[in-house]
Amino acid sequence: MKLLHTADWHIGRTLNGYSLLDEQKYAFKQILQIAKDEKVDGIVVAGDIYDRAIPSTDAITTLNEMFKELNIDNKFPIYAISGNHDGAKRLNYGRDWMEFNNFHINTLLEEAFTPIETEDTQLFLLPFFDPMDARVYYQQQGMDEDKVKGIRTIGDAMTLVVNDMYKSFDTDKKHILITHFAVSPSADKEIELTSETTSKVGGLETVIASQFDKFDYVMLGHIHTHLASPSDKIRYSGSPVKFNVKEAKMTTDKGIYIVDTDEQPDKTDFRKITPGTDLIVLEETWETLLDPEFYSKQPVRKDWFAITIKEFDRSQHVSTNVRAQLQDIYGTVVELDYDNVEKKNDQEATSQNISQMSNEDVVGKFFESITGDELSEEQKSLVDNIFVELERGE
């Protein structure tokens, strides 16, 4: 069975107020063409289909057209799951009749235990879930109350879930898992979450690759670079589009994987996706940015720019409209920052950029600054649960 593995479309995402829909459509056209060229047997979308639980009308219309083109116009089966950004219950609407057209989407934990059967493969579609979802599910299954209370982490829950999946294995078929989590190669080696999130709340904490060792192949979503893949048979496809400056700074390409269950995975399985409008990161002095010899070598008025002006003294440019001057030269500047070295002090040098902190850490730092005490474990758990519910929009 030959599958196209993609994930983290985040349809409806914006970059500092600039819509990324056109860029997402451009990437989608390449995904569709790759699927045609490779004559795949299906398209996998491993979560975070939308960027938010309640997407905009434009996002809904765009995704509807994409799925229509894949599934109805070109007859590609779709195997999709919800991620932590998706509204699971809303995305579940229409699931039953979609299956008649070979469009399979799982958004709830209880749906994950029945595999989708093909001639030679069983596909298990495990959407994002958190420990509370697992506790509710297993309580409904009649599990002993003490054992239910023992489901404290996503690792605890995943062990139970995967073991129950193993019970449905057909030994004459290959077994594919599609899921959406941060998966570490081992217990003592965590992965960087890149741009997806700095949070490790609830289900966003990592699980261990060995928990999936009985599957022939695992298709992951959640981390936005394929280089985070724990192994050759447990892989992230990464997102098809650069979503922020951190991703733009990475030298790795965006793309998708072609997975053939009859062959061993290797590096040639990756297919590059080329940006329509790239995001270029520049960190230079004001003088360099205004130097024609420098900017003539840049894709000015073609791509988007995120610019940090180094060694910048604002007092020398009081009457200068800095952004306007840069946009006259470069075109669209989606992000502008300043590196004011003369204003740095010891406090700034040691402080953590709030944009790099998780929501939970921000709350913890604020609580500590007001009370002088750290959050208790019970308070941390309460904060975690609140942010899970807010993010999922349920």
Side-chain angles (χ1 to χ4, degrees), residues 112-348:
F113 298 98
T114 303
I116 298 165
E117 306 275 355
T118 70
E119 184 177 348
D120 59 0
T121 305
Q122 288 182 308
L123 294 101
F124 290 82
L125 278 57
L126 177 61
F128 168 82
F129 68 94
D130 59 46
M132 180 59 73
D133 295 324
R135 287 196 288 269
V136 170
Y137 171 77
Y138 280 105
Q139 186 175 44
Q140 292 173 344
Q141 301 306 305
M143 178 180 279
D144 180 80
E145 187 175 345
D146 288 338
K147 290 184 178 179
V148 170
K149 290 180 179 178
I151 305 173
R152 302 177 185 275
T153 68
I154 195 61
D156 297 335
M158 190 64 73
T159 297
L160 292 169
V161 168
V162 170
N163 284 338
D164 282 346
M165 288 180 171
Y166 292 156
K167 296 173 184 177
S168 300
F169 273 20
D170 181 340
T171 56
D172 294 327
K173 293 185 177 184
K174 294 290 181 68
H175 310 105
I176 304 295
L177 176 65
I178 300 163
T179 194
H180 188 93
F181 288 95
V183 180
S184 297
S186 61
D188 58 351
K189 187 175 182 181
E190 289 191 354
I191 57 173
E192 184 180 359
L193 294 184
T194 66
S195 66
E196 160 54 23
T197 177
T198 52
S199 175
K200 290 194 175 181
V201 50
L204 299 183
E205 64 188 11
T206 59
V207 295
I208 308 303
S210 60
Q211 293 182 277
F212 308 125
D213 58 3
K214 292 185 181 179
F215 286 97
D216 294 290
Y217 196 90
V218 181
M219 301 183 185
L220 296 173
H222 187 53
I223 309 301
H224 291 183
T225 171
H226 67 279
L227 295 183
S229 300
S231 70
D232 285 343
K233 76 168 192 173
I234 304 176
R235 283 173 164 176
Y236 290 100
S237 66
S239 61
V241 169
K242 297 175 184 178
F243 290 125
N244 57 33
V245 172
K246 189 172 183 180
E247 289 189 31
K249 285 182 176 180
M250 300 179 71
T251 57
T252 180
D253 292 324
K254 294 294 186 178
I256 59 91
Y257 272 115
I258 297 297
V259 179
D260 191 333
T261 59
D262 292 329
E263 297 180 5
Q264 291 296 317
D266 60 41
K267 293 181 180 180
T268 63
D269 297 339
F270 188 75
R271 303 289 185 275
K272 178 181 176 181
I273 291 178
T274 303
T277 303
D278 207 353
L279 177 57
I280 308 300
V281 180
L282 299 178
E283 298 179 355
E284 302 291 345
T285 64
W286 179 247
E287 291 72 23
T288 299
L289 291 166
L290 269 57
D291 184 350
E293 186 176 349
F294 173 78
Y295 67 69
S296 64
K297 299 175 183 177
Q298 306 299 324
V300 296
R301 303 191 173 280
K302 176 182 179 297
D303 291 331
W304 288 351
F305 289 85
I307 298 176
T308 297
I309 308 175
K310 297 171 65 176
E311 302 173 11
F312 191 70
D313 185 353
R314 295 184 189 224
S315 65
Q316 301 298 315
H317 301 273
V318 179
S319 60
T320 303
N321 188 330
V322 175
R323 179 180 285 273
Q325 194 165 343
L326 290 173
Q327 290 192 149
D328 283 343
I329 297 172
Y330 291 91
T332 303
V333 178
V334 298
E335 184 168 307
L336 180 60
D337 200 3
Y338 305 89
D339 181 13
N340 303 318
V341 294
E342 73 281 358
K343 294 183 179 181
K344 288 183 179 178
N345 54 37
D346 291 340
Q347 182 180 0
E348 290 176 319

